[in-house]
Amino acid sequence: MPELPEAETIASDLRAQVVGSSVVDVRVPFVDVLAPSHTATAFRERIRRCRIREVGRRGKNVVLRLDPDQVMVVNLGMTGRLVVSDSPAAGQLRHIAVRFELEGGRALLYDDVRRFGRIELFSTEQWAERQTELGLEPLSDAFDGAALYARTQRSRSPIRNWLLDQRQVAGIGNIYANEALFRARIHPARPASSLGIRSVRRLRDALVDVLREAVESRGTTLNDYRDGNGEPGNFEPRLRVYGRESGPCPRCARQIRRLVLSNRSAFFCPHCQRNRVRT
DNA sequence: AACGCGCCCTGTCCGC
DNA sequence: TGCGGACAGGGCGCGT
């Protein structure tokens, strides 16, 4: 569920509230959200008495750096939430999978209805190594048209599918992939390698724009997403095609259509995103 | 070896 | 009201 803007919002909310706090204890009601290499006991022993030094983001992952030196990476899957316990909405959580008890009686709660999320601990070196498997950061200086074009050239997958591959660009999920393709006027089924440099530059700009705007709006809440205080994001009304099948295209007013690519919905305007190759 | 598919799990909604 | 099926923002493992 959470993509880059949602992970970014959560990271900034948590940063303001838990940096400097120490973890005094850990409870793991649902072990299956821990990476398979962690038992609940070993996980608890590694985390307790650690101090949260920094909260950041890489792709869709919320990254907590701890002292003594250790990195806790949270991938929220579809329904994962990280909420501080003293937020008014914390009481509504019904599927708490991990509780990080903090000094002073507060807690950082990891809630996850579907339990598709994963929490994994790394050393700084291990995390650096693992990050080499993640692709470009869309909001970094390295994310320019040339870098994106070099990568799209190597794949014949439909561009919508390609954008979901975290090894290529990190942080894009189904919502923002579809929104960026609409803005760049590229049909979602176009093979990645069929895009010319001009299309790829438009796509790059569209991705940066939509992600920045969504961060500004604190993310998109369709159903489950909540920020670090348990509150929904505000970007949903600004979506132009995602979830708007049969609705009017905001550009030409024709009907938005849905198509299924690799078992996941793609939303597009058949008029504005016409450049489809025959299938 | 790039790519697509099924699956992990729970909840909601829609048609009958 | 109940029930079955489709669907949901992600990502892994598998087979081809």
Side-chain angles (χ1 to χ4, degrees):
Chain A
M1 140 189 143
E3 308 180 28
L4 183 154
E6 292 75 31
E8 181 67 33
T9 302
I10 291 169
S12 77
D13 287 351
L14 296 186
R15 188 176 304 128
Q17 300 189 68
V18 304
V19 164
S21 294
S22 290
V23 177
V24 296
D25 204 358
V26 181
R27 311 260 167 211
V28 188
F30 290 98
V31 268
D32 46 349
V33 303
L34 302 184
S37 56
H38 301 317
T39 65
T41 315
F43 181 76
R44 175 172 179 252
E45 288 311 311
R46 280 183 67 175
I47 295 289
R48 61 192 303 199
R49 299 193 186 82
C50 283
R51 180 178 162 276
I52 301 169
R53 189 208 317 151
E54 188 184 319
V55 185
R57 177 195 62 75
R58 174 75 167 99
K60 301 173 186 174
N61 303 291
V62 177
V63 179
L64 295 96
R65 296 190 180 267
L66 310 177
D67 286 320
D69 205 32
Q70 194 163 205
V71 186
M72 182 165 77
V73 178
V74 182
N75 184 297
L76 299 139
M78 294 278 263
T79 54
R81 301 175 180 180
L82 276 170
V83 177
V84 288
S85 64
D86 44 2
S87 315
Q92 313 301 315
L93 301 177
R94 289 289 172 269
H95 302 272
I96 294 172
V98 183
R99 295 183 59 98
F100 301 91
E101 307 290 349
L102 305 177
E103 55 189 338
R106 298 190 310 146
L108 174 59
L109 308 173
Y110 180 69
D111 182 279
D112 192 343
V113 173
R114 294 173 73 181
R115 302 198 301 280
F116 284 177
R118 287 296 175 270
I119 302 179
E120 186 163 10
L121 295 173
F122 297 90
S123 67
T124 304
E125 307 77 58
Q126 286 170 334
W127 175 233
E129 177 62 25
R130 181 73 159 75
Q131 282 193 76
T132 63
E133 295 168 24
L134 291 175
L136 302 168
E137 272 297 324
L139 300 184
S140 74
D141 293 340
F143 190 65
D144 58 23
L148 192 60
Y149 182 69
R151 288 172 177 252
T152 53
Q153 284 293 92
R154 293 188 232 122
S155 171
R156 292 174 3 186
S157 289
I159 185 66
R160 198 296 312 268
N161 294 3
W162 188 87
L163 285 169
L164 300 183
D165 184 346
Q166 302 299 295
R167 295 169 302 184
Q168 302 302 334
V169 182
I172 311 299
N174 206 24
I175 293 180
Y176 302 110
N178 281 284
E179 291 296 305
L181 289 170
F182 172 77
R183 290 176 181 221
R185 297 215 238 161
I186 297 167
H187 193 285
R190 277 280 297 273
S193 56
S194 76
L195 299 176
I197 183 67
R198 287 166 54 86
S199 293
V200 171
R201 285 210 182 98
R202 286 203 314 278
L203 178 56
R204 181 263 172 208
D205 291 346
L207 283 163
V208 171
D209 288 349
V210 73
L211 292 170
R212 283 201 181 128
E213 291 170 26
V215 169
E216 186 74 18
S217 294
R218 305 184 55 78
T220 301
T221 295
L222 299 178
N223 293 298
D224 301 304
Y225 165 71
R226 294 295 184 279
D227 66 21
N229 300 308
E231 302 299 327
N234 305 311
F235 197 69
E236 195 280 336
R238 315 265 280 275
L239 298 177
R240 299 182 190 175
V241 289
Y242 186 89
R244 308 249 189 271
E245 184 181 17
S246 304
C249 167
R251 190 170 165 274
C252 75
R254 289 175 175 83
Q255 280 199 351
I256 290 162
R257 297 228 300 252
R258 184 176 82 100
L259 107 101
V260 177
L261 296 172
S262 288
N263 289 317
R264 305 191 68 184
S265 296
F267 298 91
F268 69 106
C269 170
H271 177 71
C272 298
Q273 295 163 271
R274 239 175 321 177
N275 46 9
R276 181 165 60 97
V277 288
R278 293 177 305 277
T279 48

